[in-house]
Amino acid sequence: MNVLVAYATRHGATAGIAERIAGALRGAGLPAEARPVDDVRDLAPYDAVVLGGAAYMFHWLKDATVFARRHREELADRPVWLFSSGPLGTDRVDAEGEDVLEAARPKEFDELTALLHPRGEQVFRGAYDPDAPPIGLAERLTRHLPAAQEATPAGDFRDWPAIDAWAEGIAAELRSGG
Ligand SMILES: Cc1cc2nc3c(=O)[nH]c(=O)nc-3n(C[C@H](O)[C@H](O)[C@H](O)COP(=O)(O)O)c2cc1C
């Protein structure tokens, strides 16, 4: 049972989550490796796939969505889990009273759930370092706006115990016969 943890990241936070999931799977006795989606051409060596991406402006990073659509047949044939790395800060509910993790579910997840029938999906809190060089025009232009700064508090909010627990649940499901 060889597991691929494929990810799309812009600033590295999602890569860290993917590496952590792969490590937890290996710790549970399953061969697993984390790889950027752009490095993966062929899913044949893998029996199961965990696919993750960062959320920006309510959307999953395009590379993750493109990967999911491109490999939809192989993915639909395997146990698949989706995750998103998104909300920043520690608030449990947003200004509208909605659960922050639910509100951060990327817009693409409805389509991808219908396409891939994942065994599970999870939104994890992310990380943001405003001192890191901006990537892309939109980030460069919006970074210094007060509204953008308020919406993107600086810090590493990744919830390692939640990530480990999710990965252990995946391992248990795969070990019990997939
Ligand atoms: C400009 C900008 C827009 C963002 N938009 C969203 C968003 O719409 N939803 C969300 O959950 N997180 C959003 N985030 C938070 C990122 O998803 C979070 O920082 C993530 O962990 C980054 O992952 P990466 O380092 O792998 O790119 C945004 C962050 C920035 C800087």
Side-chain angles (χ1 to χ4, degrees), residues 31-155:
E33 59 176 355
R35 295 175 63 190
V37 285
D38 291 344
D39 284 2
V40 180
R41 293 277 163 269
D42 185 10
L43 294 187
Y46 303 104
D47 306 297
V49 179
V50 179
L51 177 58
Y56 283 90
M57 307 312 289
F58 308 104
H59 291 279
W60 225 25
L61 275 183
K62 201 172 172 193
D63 288 356
T65 304
V66 167
F67 181 90
R69 291 184 184 139
R70 179 179 299 144
H71 294 285
R72 62 183 174 277
E73 286 175 14
E74 301 140 282
L75 289 169
D77 263 359
R78 290 165 170 74
V80 168
W81 284 262
L82 303 179
F83 77 87
S84 178
S85 135
L88 300 167
T90 54
D91 291 347
R92 297 174 83 84
V93 291
D94 62 18
E96 284 75 43
E98 201 178 341
D99 183 287
V100 165
L101 297 182
E102 284 172 23
R105 186 176 189 258
K107 287 187 185 301
E108 290 73 15
F109 271 25
D110 276 346
E111 173 207 333
L112 297 179
T113 299
L115 212 56
L116 310 177
H117 307 292
R119 300 279 183 97
E121 62 171 61
Q122 188 64 47
V123 173
F124 294 115
R125 290 179 195 274
Y128 174 56
D129 175 5
D131 295 328
I135 295 177
L137 188 61
E139 221 177 284
R140 209 156 39 239
L141 294 177
T142 59
R143 179 170 279 197
H144 300 292
L145 299 177
Q149 288 176 354
E150 201 178 314
T152 55

Side-chain angles (χ1 to χ4, degrees), residues 15-35:
I17 295 173
E19 294 285 359
R20 181 81 171 212
I21 291 170
L25 293 171
R26 287 192 297 271
L30 293 169
E33 59 176 355
R35 295 175 63 190

